[in-house]
Amino acid sequence: MGLFADGLDAAVRKAFTRPVPRSAPARMRFLVRQLKGTRAVAELLGVSQRTVERYVKGQIRQPRPDLAARLEREVTRRWQPRVRARARQQAATTGGIVIDTRARIGYTAPIGTTDDARLRHLTVALPPRYAARLFDAQEAGAGERRLQQIAAEGLKEIYFQDDGRRAGDLEQVRFTDIEHVEFEL
């Protein structure tokens, strides 16, 4: 994943109503319930079925670092799907999304304007249509570059063009050297 995809996931995780299970046995039990069996969990995590059973019983408590990372990623991905869907739906229909970024942002404009990219720290509330486009692209498996383009289009329209009140001849906004990106629903 990349900065934008991780930022969108983190924003949605803030909507969770209950904390994600913390211990490895609790996470393993959750996955066994979700996937309806230890064999499916073993295949998902790349371990033996017997290892999964030991975690479920509490015989093993501390996973290897690589297994712990996979376990956390898979549990977080499946945790509270209805809450996650509701948060995305609300952002895409009524709430919009706030992007907070520190990056070198440049744009393409007519000759005679200063279009050199410069480091900017922006916090901009994007309307629901951009939240919907971001989430739809993420669901469709779009790459980091596509998510950046959608966010750049939103910044172009809302920040640089001020909803059509200025800079009407601005053609394209682009991100380079991204230091920080955070989203808030």
Side-chain angles (χ1 to χ4, degrees):
M1 290 219 181
L3 286 172
F4 282 77
D6 290 343
L8 288 170
D9 286 340
V12 171
R13 279 195 305 268
K14 290 177 186 175
F16 287 166
T17 57
R18 292 186 333 225
V20 178
R22 291 189 185 271
S23 71
R27 288 179 175 178
M28 203 63 80
R29 284 190 294 273
F30 171 75
L31 284 177
V32 168
R33 278 193 310 270
Q34 288 291 305
L35 299 176
K36 297 178 179 29
T38 57
R39 178 175 291 160
V41 175
E43 290 173 4
L44 176 72
L45 297 175
V47 296
S48 71
Q49 186 175 355
R50 181 70 185 126
T51 301
V52 172
E53 292 167 357
R54 287 184 185 138
Y55 275 107
V56 169
K57 289 181 181 178
Q59 294 172 346
I60 304 176
R61 297 181 114 4
Q62 292 296 325
R64 300 180 317 263
D66 61 327
L67 177 60
R70 287 193 309 263
L71 188 59
E72 180 179 2
R73 183 181 64 243
E74 294 301 330
V75 168
T76 303
R77 207 175 89 200
R78 289 172 171 76
W79 189 250
Q80 293 191 328
R82 282 185 256 155
V83 172
R84 182 185 309 264
R86 190 175 340 124
R88 287 177 178 224
Q89 181 66 27
Q90 183 179 2
T93 56
T94 59
I97 193 165
V98 176
I99 181 172
D100 178 52
T101 184
R102 181 169 168 79
R104 190 165 302 279
I105 300 175
Y107 52 89
T108 306
I111 296 174
T113 60
T114 57
D115 60 352
D116 291 335
R118 65 178 190 198
L119 193 62
R120 299 173 193 255
H121 182 204
L122 300 176
T123 303
V124 179
L126 299 178
R129 65 183 175 273
Y130 286 103
R133 287 180 59 196
L134 283 167
F135 288 132
D136 289 345
Q138 186 183 30
E139 288 288 323
E144 188 71 7
R145 182 176 303 288
R146 181 65 188 139
L147 296 175
Q148 284 180 16
Q149 289 172 345
I150 293 169
E153 290 170 16
L155 289 176
K156 172 188 160 193
E157 182 182 328
I158 302 302
Y159 179 77
F160 290 102
Q161 292 182 330
D162 195 18
D163 263 340
R165 289 190 277 276
R166 61 185 170 131
D169 51 358
L170 188 66
E171 296 169 15
Q172 180 183 7
V173 173
R174 64 191 173 281
F175 281 99
T176 55
D177 301 332
I178 301 167
E179 293 179 8
H180 162 78
V181 171
E182 190 174 318
F183 293 96
E184 187 76 34
L185 300 180

